[in-house]
């Protein structure tokens, strides 16, 4: 009965213990699957908010292609790239380096974020079956807007993430913030 919730072992605690076990056993796979699930949910959240604002039935109008594409992006790109980026960042700029907190944040905000956002636009556009002309148009109309919003929204969260969240939990922390960020990105891509 040790796997079932009791007053001392709540569902949340069991979920956290299982996550920690998987994180220790298969860190990249665990972070990738978590990223995929939360990325897909971000797209679902975007659709739910859009349908609700239009007074439409949510289930009838849910497009499963969007969550699938976002899920694939999270699984294949967000999880692994974020895992290695955070590890590399700690090696490149250890916490004992003067101004390490600001240096890490600047590297993330000015180098990683623009490149990752461009990758996002590219992969999602290609997964939608669109051509390079469509990608160019999406980049011209949405990239700069999304990057400025990224800098506004993510900077404080990344400062906290890079400097106060233990490295093994940084991808999870970013994924939880990204749940809402992907809802925003899905809405501007329409």
């Amino acid at each position: 009965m040790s796997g079932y919730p009791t007053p001392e072992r709540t569902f949340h605690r069991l979920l956290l213990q299982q996550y920690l076990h998987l994180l220790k056993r298969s860190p990249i796979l665990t972070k990738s699957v978590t990223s995929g699930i939360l990325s897909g949910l971000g797209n679902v959240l975007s659709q739910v908010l859009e349908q609700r604002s239009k007074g439409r039935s949510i289930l009838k109008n849910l497009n499963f292609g969007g969550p699938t594409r976002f899920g694939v992006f999270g699984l294949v790109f967000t999880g692994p790239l974020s895992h290695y980026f955070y590890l590399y960042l700690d090696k490149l700029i250890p916490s004992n380096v003067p101004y390490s907190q600001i240096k890490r944040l600047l590297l993330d905000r000015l180098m990683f974020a623009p490149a990752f956002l461009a990758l996002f636009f590219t992969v999602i556009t290609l997964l939608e079956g669109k051509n390079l002309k469509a990608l160019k148009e999406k980049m011209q109309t949405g990239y700069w807007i999304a990057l400025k919003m990224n800098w506004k929204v993510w900077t404080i969260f990344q400062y906290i993430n890079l400097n106060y969240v233990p490295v093994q939990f940084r991808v999870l922390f970013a994924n939880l913030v990204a749940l809402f960020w992907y809802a925003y990105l899905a809405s501007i891509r329409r």
Side-chain angles (χ1 to χ4, degrees), residues 122 125-126 129-139:
T122 302
T125 300
L126 295 176
K130 296 181 179 166
N131 60 22
L132 294 179
K133 183 180 177 190
L135 171 61
K136 181 180 177 185
E137 187 177 305
K138 288 280 187 190
M139 292 293 285

Side-chain angles (χ1 to χ4, degrees), residues 46-62:
S46 169
Q47 291 186 53
V48 166
L49 294 174
E50 181 181 9
Q51 297 306 324
R52 187 174 285 165
S53 72
K54 294 179 178 178
R56 295 182 183 164
S57 168
I58 294 167
L59 290 178
K60 284 184 181 178
N61 294 295
L62 191 62

Side-chain angles (χ1 to χ4, degrees), residues 34-53:
T34 304
S35 295
I37 291 169
L38 291 174
S39 297
L41 286 176
N43 186 275
V44 170
L45 178 60
S46 169
Q47 291 186 53
V48 166
L49 294 174
E50 181 181 9
Q51 297 306 324
R52 187 174 285 165
S53 72

Side-chain angles (χ1 to χ4, degrees), residues 14 18 21 29 34 39 44 48 56 72 74 81 91 99 107-108 114 118 120 122 133 135-136 139 182:
L14 289 173
Q18 185 63 29
H21 171 73
L29 180 61
T34 304
S39 297
V44 170
V48 166
R56 295 182 183 164
V72 166
L81 289 177
K91 286 186 168 104
Y99 306 107
L107 186 65
D108 174 73
F120 170 82
T122 302
K133 183 180 177 190
L135 171 61
K136 181 180 177 185
M139 292 293 285
Y182 282 136

Side-chain angles (χ1 to χ4, degrees), residues 47-159:
Q47 291 186 53
V48 166
L49 294 174
E50 181 181 9
Q51 297 306 324
R52 187 174 285 165
S53 72
K54 294 179 178 178
R56 295 182 183 164
S57 168
I58 294 167
L59 290 178
K60 284 184 181 178
N61 294 295
L62 191 62
N63 171 355
F64 290 99
T68 302
R69 287 187 289 275
F70 275 60
V72 166
F73 181 79
L75 177 73
V76 175
F77 295 98
T78 305
L81 289 177
S82 298
H83 169 83
Y84 287 114
F85 174 71
Y86 293 136
L87 289 177
Y88 176 72
L89 195 58
D90 277 2
K91 286 186 168 104
L92 182 67
I93 307 171
S95 58
N96 61 351
V97 170
Y99 306 107
S100 63
Q101 293 181 331
I102 298 300
K103 289 177 181 178
R104 287 178 185 175
L105 185 65
L106 287 173
L107 186 65
D108 174 73
R109 302 287 67 223
L110 299 176
M111 295 184 72
F112 186 75
F116 192 77
L117 188 60
L119 177 67
F120 170 82
F121 271 79
T122 302
V123 170
I124 295 297
T125 300
L126 295 176
L127 287 174
E128 290 172 337
K130 296 181 179 166
N131 60 22
L132 294 179
K133 183 180 177 190
L135 171 61
K136 181 180 177 185
E137 187 177 305
K138 288 280 187 190
M139 292 293 285
Q140 289 174 338
T141 60
Y143 178 79
W144 181 239
I145 294 166
L147 183 60
K148 288 189 292 186
M149 185 58 77
N150 179 294
W151 286 336
K152 289 177 188 175
V153 170
W154 276 93
T155 299
I156 187 66
F157 292 112
Q158 280 300 83
Y159 181 81

